[in-house]
Amino acid sequence: MTNTYYEFFCPVKVIAGKAALEHIPYELTGLAAKRPMIVTDKGVRAAGLLDPVIAACEESGLDIVSIYDDVPPDSSTGVVRAIAAIYRNEKCDSIIAVGGGSAIDTGKAVNILVSEGGEDIAKYTGAGVLKRALKPFFVVPTTAGTGSEVTSIAVITDEAKGVKLPFTSSFLLPNAAIIDPRMTLTLPPHVTAATAMDAMTHAIESFTCMAKNPLSDAYATAAVKKVSQSLLQVMDNPKDSLGRLELAQASTMAGIAFSNSMVGLVHSLGHATGAICHLPHGLCMSLYLPYVLEFNLETIREPLGELLLYLEGPEVYAATPASRRAEASISALRILRDALYKRCKLPRTLKETGKVTEDQLDQIAGMAINDGSIMFNPKEVSLKDARAVLQRAWA
Amino acid sequence: MLAKRIQPMTSQARRLYVELMFQVMGRALQAVSEVDREVREEAQALPKGFLFEMMVMPDGAKLIVEHIGEGRFHYHGNSAPRPADVSIKFKHVTHAFLVLSFQEKTSVAFANDRMLVDGDVSYAVRMTRVLNRLESFILPRIIAKRAVKEYPENLHLPEKLISAAQIYLKIATHFVQTARA
């Protein structure tokens, strides 16, 4: 199943662990940056998560020149333009994105405008348009799931045209990703669960889909192990900073894995469900994961069976006959989802979400089979197949 | 010494093969859209005037087809009347050769980063399904299985033979018309 040819690229410096934020001034100085701008959202600021970042910089004599804290959940070209204007007016020379997927994607898009010039970010949409390095860019994730700190893509909504613009370039990758357990300590339980399952899905899909490769496999299996071992511990003890760090690292590792091997049908269905029913991405991932694995089962039996080692540990792996390991992996995921449902009511079926109606399933299936990630699903997916998976996920 | 002499010939042969296959596939895309209802249904979602291109980077062989409405394609040869809406670009002629000689499935070529998609990815996914359907029709089952991710279970021999014959006839007619013109 492993490809005979593959590509792997991740030049992001990962700065992870206790007091990681305090490395920001040194790292910025190393890139000759003296006037950083923070891009974040109101939730992050209200939760007090900016305070340690600002304090870490000020204690080293580095002033944050400007803070933009109004990034919406679905960032737009207008927001990117506005932030770029502030960056220029304040003569900033670097960007620190603090937040989840939206703040990070916005930071990436702002970096394109302030580095390449102009007002129209839509000009840079597509793959491979950027030809040179951008301004110094750091990312401080405040959720442990998206892996955006190590992906070379950003998605911004063009509000005038009502379409989502994808930007893909290795130059979008930040210079550094700062993984500090303080940043995820206050995440509410349902967000912790959904984002961790997002990371789990990134890892499992990257390990079982068509572009898997030996390097992404190493990151994926490590991520699966970390989420399996730490998620329920953190759910039971949210202030467990070591457990939080494990989840944050798992998210970054899963991000490195999937950005080099892509994802499959879970994401196709999740993207479509998010667009049509406005459900959070992580929730969709958790919801669809076992149903898609069952659909793909005969194509991915071997790698899925291998994952049992990382999901359940060596004893269970050794005690399970090789021919049953793939099914046992799916069972382990179902048990994990049940445990999460018990702790924070993270939905396991579409019906449990209360936000999807059965008559929307056709529309979701129609959109899902045209999603780019479906190309990398190991098994061909027809409209009928997608509809059948949705029906199984319904209730 | 001999290897050095053969190398340019092999390279030239690959280039010619890829050019020829693009010509066949372009005409076949037009033909299959006239023959097969499923392909027309798939193509109908594309905007009228939508231009699809497959090419070898940086400036190698290419095929361009246009959706002219009602799910039908028109083959434009290797020159487009305007910039393509979706372009699938092989990074090297060798990669195109691997796919067009059915040594590597289209889906595997995508997974192996052999080619790039420029334009709306959802349209590229749709066009990939059309190409898969076409290959399932015109190639013997044993070769088609090497070209597509999954050979369609519902494609039975009579339908395949009749459709393939129609498609090949149309390709041949188109070649003759082009030669006469």
Side-chain angles (χ1 to χ4, degrees), chain A residues 12-59:
Chain A
V12 180
K13 181 168 185 176
V14 176
I15 298 166
K18 193 176 174 185
L21 293 174
E22 281 69 16
H23 284 256
I24 293 176
Y26 171 79
E27 294 296 333
L28 279 175
T29 311
L31 295 169
K34 293 173 185 158
R35 297 178 62 79
M37 172 189 212
I38 287 181
V39 175
T40 188
D41 61 60
K42 289 220 184 299
V44 167
R45 192 156 208 183
L49 296 176
L50 281 194
D51 301 341
V53 180
I54 296 168
C57 291
E58 285 179 350
E59 280 165 10

Side-chain angles (χ1 to χ4, degrees), chain A residues 52-325:
Chain A
V53 180
I54 296 168
C57 291
E58 285 179 350
E59 280 165 10
S60 283
L62 184 75
D63 285 332
I64 303 291
V65 175
S66 179
I67 298 174
Y68 185 91
D69 68 357
D70 205 11
V71 174
D74 260 329
S75 196
S76 65
T77 48
V79 171
V80 170
R81 199 164 41 241
I83 302 174
I86 296 169
Y87 180 102
R88 289 172 182 138
N89 284 342
E90 299 286 344
K91 298 190 168 47
C92 299
D93 61 8
S94 50
I95 298 168
I96 306 173
V98 184
S102 183
I104 297 171
D105 278 11
T106 305
K108 289 174 181 173
V110 170
N111 203 15
I112 297 175
L113 270 194
V114 298
S115 304
E116 292 289 319
E119 301 283 324
D120 183 14
I121 187 68
K123 244 174 49 181
Y124 302 99
T125 189
V129 177
L130 302 174
K131 302 292 182 200
R132 57 183 175 181
L134 308 180
K135 303 276 187 196
F137 176 49
F138 286 19
V139 169
V140 184
T142 58
T143 61
T146 66
S148 303
E149 67 276 15
V150 284
T151 63
S152 53
I153 185 162
V155 179
I156 301 291
T157 302
D158 184 334
E159 63 266 73
K161 292 182 183 162
V163 293
K164 293 203 171 196
L165 303 176
F167 301 86
T168 312
S169 166
S170 56
F171 294 120
L172 292 180
L173 286 161
N175 300 87
I178 295 94
I179 318 293
D180 192 309
R182 283 173 286 179
M183 304 310 281
T184 52
L185 270 183
T186 54
L187 276 180
H190 65 280
V191 179
T192 302
T195 50
M197 288 305 286
D198 188 14
M200 177 73 101
T201 308
H202 288 153
I204 291 180
E205 287 217 291
S206 75
F207 194 76
T208 53
C209 286
M210 292 188 67
K212 78 195 250 66
N213 64 69
L215 296 181
S216 68
D217 283 356
Y219 283 98
T221 50
V224 170
K225 188 176 172 186
K226 281 184 188 299
V227 177
S228 301
Q229 290 181 342
S230 301
L231 177 53
L232 294 182
Q233 279 180 30
V234 170
M235 292 301 291
D236 292 336
N237 177 18
K239 296 291 173 199
D240 172 5
S241 63
L242 275 180
R244 289 283 187 189
L245 179 60
E246 287 293 279
L247 291 183
Q249 289 179 108
S251 165
T252 302
M253 295 173 100
I256 294 172
F258 91 82
S259 63
N260 282 284
S261 62
M262 301 307 287
V263 284
L265 180 57
V266 185
H267 275 77
S268 314
L269 293 169
H271 292 154
T273 311
I276 293 165
C277 309
H278 308 290
L279 283 178
H281 179 71
L283 187 162
C284 295
M285 298 298 98
S286 177
L287 199 156
Y288 288 128
L289 182 58
Y291 304 106
V292 170
L293 293 177
E294 281 166 359
F295 170 75
N296 285 333
L297 184 57
E298 291 314 320
T299 328
I300 60 169
R301 182 168 281 284
E302 194 187 324
L304 187 56
E306 267 182 66
L307 283 180
L308 185 64
L309 177 62
Y310 308 98
L311 284 163
E312 292 280 54
E315 287 82 13
V316 173
Y317 181 81
T320 310
S323 61
R324 298 292 305 159
R325 283 177 188 152

Side-chain angles (χ1 to χ4, degrees), chain A residues 3 5 7 127 210-211 369-372 374-380, chain B residues 91 107-108 110-114 121-122 125-126 128-129 132 149-150:
Chain A
N3 284 337
Y5 170 88
E7 294 178 8
M210 292 188 67
I369 61 158
N370 291 311
D371 189 87
I374 214 154
M375 297 283 289
F376 301 94
N377 195 65
K379 188 175 170 187
E380 192 68 80
Chain B
K91 289 181 179 173
S107 53
V108 172
F110 270 116
N112 285 357
D113 277 317
R114 307 291 201 195
V121 176
S122 68
V125 173
R126 207 173 268 281
T128 306
R129 279 200 296 270
N132 285 346
K149 203 190 275 183
E150 211 167 279

Side-chain angles (χ1 to χ4, degrees), chain B residues 70-90:
Chain B
E70 296 174 351
R72 288 174 191 269
F73 291 121
H74 172 72
Y75 173 55
H76 278 285
N78 60 3
S79 60
R82 55 189 178 279
D85 297 288
V86 166
S87 179
I88 293 181
K89 298 174 176 177
F90 289 97

